[in-house]
Amino acid sequence: MEDNKAIVRRFNQEVIASWNEDSFNVLMNENFVNHSAPEGMDNGPQGMRYFFNEILRPAISDIKVTVHKQLAEGDWVTTRKTISGTHTGPLLNIPATGRLVSINVIDIVRLKDGKYLEHWGLTTLPELLAGLSTI
């Protein structure tokens, strides 16, 4: 279980925070399903790639991922984390504000053979977007 938690931490640091394409390819099962993908968005590996590279990374230039707590059982890892950084580009049509932003996240990931197979997540992204749109 500690190995599985380390895989999820690696994904958070090497993929989300730093966007290492090789790490993404190594850690993502070709049959991956993101059960939390927004309606109309690809829920496979390409959807994750798109979200990180076309939505999140252009909007938050200095992304940092802080893992607060992880729980693991078998192939399942639950992580409570914060994704933060400076809002320097458009975020889903909201112009850059230059403000420090944070997205709190609870992820549930099922791994298979050391790779992401399934994902469910809850985030405060909608609340962040609502707050930014009133600025």
Side-chain angles (χ1 to χ4, degrees), residues 1-9 11 27-29 32 70 72-78 108-120:
M1 285 187 281
E2 291 304 313
D3 288 345
N4 287 342
K5 289 180 355 183
I7 290 166
V8 172
R9 283 192 307 273
F11 185 91
L27 297 173
M28 187 65 58
N29 185 294
F32 170 80
Q70 287 186 299
E73 183 175 323
D75 291 334
W76 298 85
V77 179
T78 299
I108 301 171
V109 174
R110 184 164 76 100
L111 302 166
K112 181 179 180 184
D113 301 324
K115 296 183 177 200
Y116 273 50
L117 182 62
E118 294 183 273
H119 168 265
W120 293 260

Side-chain angles (χ1 to χ4, degrees), residues 5 15 20 23-24 27 29 41 50 59 69-70 72 81 90 96 102 106 108 111 117-119 123-124 130:
K5 289 180 355 183
V15 175
N20 180 315
S23 294
F24 179 83
L27 297 173
N29 185 294
M41 186 174 190
Y50 177 83
K69 182 73 175 174
Q70 287 186 299
K81 65 188 177 192
S102 295
I106 297 175
I108 301 171
L111 302 166
L117 182 62
E118 294 183 273
H119 168 265
T123 77
T124 60

Side-chain angles (χ1 to χ4, degrees), residues 24-100:
F24 179 83
N25 293 330
V26 165
L27 297 173
M28 187 65 58
N29 185 294
E30 64 184 25
N31 297 314
F32 170 80
V33 176
N34 180 4
H35 297 281
S36 300
E39 188 174 329
M41 186 174 190
D42 182 333
N43 69 345
Q46 293 307 319
M48 291 287 274
R49 178 181 276 112
Y50 177 83
F51 178 77
F52 295 134
N53 287 330
E54 303 300 325
I55 295 174
L56 199 61
R57 189 155 315 288
I60 303 171
S61 58
D62 55 347
I63 293 175
K64 179 181 176 187
V65 179
T66 304
V67 173
H68 303 292
K69 182 73 175 174
Q70 287 186 299
L71 301 170
E73 183 175 323
D75 291 334
W76 298 85
V77 179
T78 299
T79 303
R80 185 176 65 83
K81 65 188 177 192
T82 303
I83 300 171
S84 59
T86 308
H87 181 208
T88 55
L91 180 58
L92 295 171
N93 297 320
I94 297 175
T97 62
R99 298 176 68 156
L100 182 63

